Amino acid sequence: MGDILFLAHRVPYPPNRGDKIRGFHLLKYLSTKKRVHLIAFADDPADLRQKDGLKRYTGNRSIVWRSKAGVVAGLRALASRRPISVVAFDNAALRLSVENILARHAIDTIFIFSGQMAQYLPARPRQRVIMDFVDMDSAKFAAYSKTTRWPMSWVHRREANLLQQFEKHVAARADASLFVSEAEAQLFRDRTGADCVHVIENGIDTEYYDPTAEFRRIETMDPLVVFTGQMDYRPNIEAVTWFAEAIFPHIRLVHPEARFAIVGRAPSDAVKALAKLPGVTVTGPVNDVRGWLAAASVVVAPLKMARGIQNKVLEGMAMARPVVASSAAAEGLDHGGTIRVGSSVAEIADAVNDLLSRPAEAAELGAVARRQVIERYSWEARLAPLDAVLGLPLRAAKAERMARRTAA
């Protein structure tokens, strides 16, 4: 049995944002099966100091700094007719690291986390290739193209078309393509015609996200509505802007003392500006999001555009808080009716107001949500289907069988 080469677009440690959480737990799970060698990008100086945090799960670790400016990537992408998001991750140093690992170690599986990293596959890989797309990026850019003005609408439409071609090509080269939900997997099958598509859902660490665990508590006497996330990410920016400007005023009419806390690192200027609105707080980065979740009267996930299963929803449920999510944020999640779901301003505002008005029922809803998460979304259970994927025949073995059949 050979080793696994794990390629990641962002170093999966510490697991403090959506993609890093999934990446970390995938890496941790794979390390229980075989030795794993990690090659990943870092785009935050702090991540360059996290190499040793993955020591117990990995053999070799190569972390490469990614500093390519967006404008440069865009110009190169236009010149080469390639997707901007792929060109932005094109790096000679990382390519050399991949070549060195494949030359020095007996690798039988290449696990690619996020589509941008598929460009580092060998031309004719003899290894088993597992491609974790997570969700369909081309569909995200197609949605962007419908909500932005020219010229960005043209840029997003171009990106969507080229990315879909790229995703289809990558899936044809992979032994297995993974997605975070059946909805994403089916969308990919429909748009690309790909087969060998599998669903590996996100999970949640219910021992860490536990309302009875030890963590710093946030003291508040006001009804508190909380949103958590990476706050320079466009869907999160759109979500909190919509909630703060259009939905929260309806909540303040019924509960004038209510507060809305936007909790997460790297808030954009647009997010920071929301702090000027009555009752709105923008925290910026926090050491431990659990304190804010535990203090929340209601956790909200009002995303207009969401792909796959949202960690922010699972975290709220695991912390036994009542959750109100948009239809997009709830799609693909087996919540068993333990969260409230709405599509419009009125539906989301009414759901939050109802929970704030009936705290005992809200607490019970949160308790049931936690039980649902424990039963349905432990990482061990969600990643168990990977065993079958890891057992797929090696490409070399398949090639030999095909050759024998042709000779016969």
Side-chain angles (χ1 to χ4, degrees):
M1 289 177 60
D3 298 344
I4 297 175
L5 171 58
F6 191 97
L7 304 178
H9 70 298
R10 183 173 286 113
V11 59
Y13 194 85
N16 56 7
R17 54 178 289 172
D19 54 352
K20 296 173 77 169
I21 292 170
R22 180 176 174 89
F24 171 74
H25 285 283
L26 283 167
L27 179 65
K28 180 180 176 182
Y29 188 86
L30 293 172
S31 73
T32 67
K33 310 298 178 180
K34 300 181 179 183
R35 185 166 67 152
V36 180
H37 306 285
L38 170 68
I39 300 177
F41 281 115
D43 53 15
D44 183 335
D47 286 347
L48 292 174
R49 301 188 293 270
Q50 301 297 341
K51 196 172 180 180
D52 289 343
L54 294 166
K55 187 174 182 179
R56 64 183 293 190
Y57 307 113
T58 55
N60 291 275
R61 294 169 304 286
S62 178
I63 310 300
V64 177
W65 177 250
R66 188 177 75 87
S67 59
K68 185 175 295 184
V71 174
V72 174
L75 292 174
R76 291 182 179 175
L78 287 172
S80 61
R81 282 195 51 79
R82 298 168 65 199
I84 297 171
S85 50
V86 173
V87 174
F89 284 82
D90 190 352
N91 183 283
L94 194 136
R95 198 174 302 278
L96 182 60
S97 293
V98 172
E99 292 173 359
N100 287 339
I101 286 289
L102 291 176
R104 289 165 40 211
H105 296 276
I107 305 293
D108 70 13
T109 302
I110 301 176
F111 193 105
I112 307 167
F113 181 53
S114 192
Q116 302 96 321
M117 302 303 290
Q119 62 189 298
Y120 297 105
L121 271 177
R124 291 183 175 85
R126 294 175 60 83
Q127 299 84 1
R128 181 187 299 109
V129 176
I130 302 172
M131 178 67 243
D132 187 8
F133 286 102
V134 187
D135 45 46
M136 194 172 179
D137 279 348
S138 59
K140 175 179 67 178
F141 283 101
Y144 285 166
S145 72
K146 297 176 182 178
T147 59
T148 52
R149 297 180 178 179
W150 194 91
M152 287 309 299
S153 60
W154 177 86
V155 172
H156 291 320
R157 188 162 54 252
R158 174 190 182 276
E159 187 74 0
N161 292 335
L162 291 178
L163 261 184
Q164 184 168 315
Q165 296 173 29
F166 176 76
E167 291 164 342
K168 182 177 181 178
H169 174 70
V170 171
R173 301 179 67 202
D175 295 281
S177 297
L178 311 183
F179 288 86
V180 74
S181 71
E182 180 55 40
E184 287 293 298
Q186 191 57 52
L187 179 66
F188 190 78
R189 296 185 192 104
D190 292 342
R191 293 194 179 180
T192 67
D195 54 11
C196 299
V197 178
H198 304 258
V199 177
I200 301 293
E201 295 178 325
N202 277 348
I204 184 76
D205 184 344
T206 54
E207 292 184 4
Y208 181 81
Y209 288 98
D210 182 342
T212 65
E214 293 186 8
F215 53 85
R216 184 177 179 181
R217 307 281 167 168
I218 303 297
E219 298 296 332
T220 177
M221 297 299 293
D222 300 325
L224 181 64
V225 180
V226 171
F227 177 97
T228 61
Q230 181 76 17
M231 293 318 306
D232 58 356
Y233 180 51
R234 176 175 169 173
N236 287 343
I237 297 170
E238 291 179 345
V240 296
T241 301
W242 184 45
F243 190 87
E245 293 181 348
I247 301 173
F248 194 51
H250 293 278
I251 295 168
R252 295 265 294 183
L253 285 175
V254 180
H255 301 278
E257 72 282 15
R259 300 191 61 80
F260 176 43
I262 302 169
V263 182
R265 67 179 57 79
S268 68
D269 290 341
V271 173
K272 291 176 182 177
L274 296 176
K276 298 176 182 178
L277 298 176
V280 178
T281 299
V282 178
T283 70
V286 298
N287 291 328
D288 193 337
V289 72
R290 293 175 297 175
W292 286 94
L293 289 172
S297 306
V298 178
V299 172
V300 293
L303 287 90
K304 290 186 173 182
M305 182 173 64
R307 311 225 65 86
I309 294 173
Q310 298 298 307
N311 286 301
K312 57 175 57 65
V313 176
L314 291 179
E315 290 168 5
M317 294 172 68
M319 290 295 291
R321 306 320 302 147
V323 176
V324 176
S326 64
S327 299
E331 184 178 8
L333 177 68
D334 181 12
H335 56 80
T338 63
I339 68 174
R340 300 284 180 86
V341 180
S343 299
S344 65
V345 169
E347 289 173 350
I348 295 175
D350 288 348
V352 174
N353 277 328
D354 184 57
L355 292 169
L356 293 180
S357 297
R358 299 192 289 177
E361 293 185 22
E364 177 57 28
L365 185 67
V368 175
R370 174 167 172 79
R371 291 198 292 271
Q372 173 72 3
V373 163
I374 291 172
E375 294 174 3
R376 179 69 172 78
Y377 284 103
S378 71
W379 274 112
E380 184 176 3
R382 293 306 90 216
L383 297 182
L386 272 180
D387 291 350
V389 176
L390 291 171
L392 292 172
L394 292 176
R395 285 175 168 250
K398 288 187 287 187
E400 291 171 3
R401 285 198 298 273
M402 291 294 294
R404 286 197 297 268
R405 290 174 188 164
T406 302

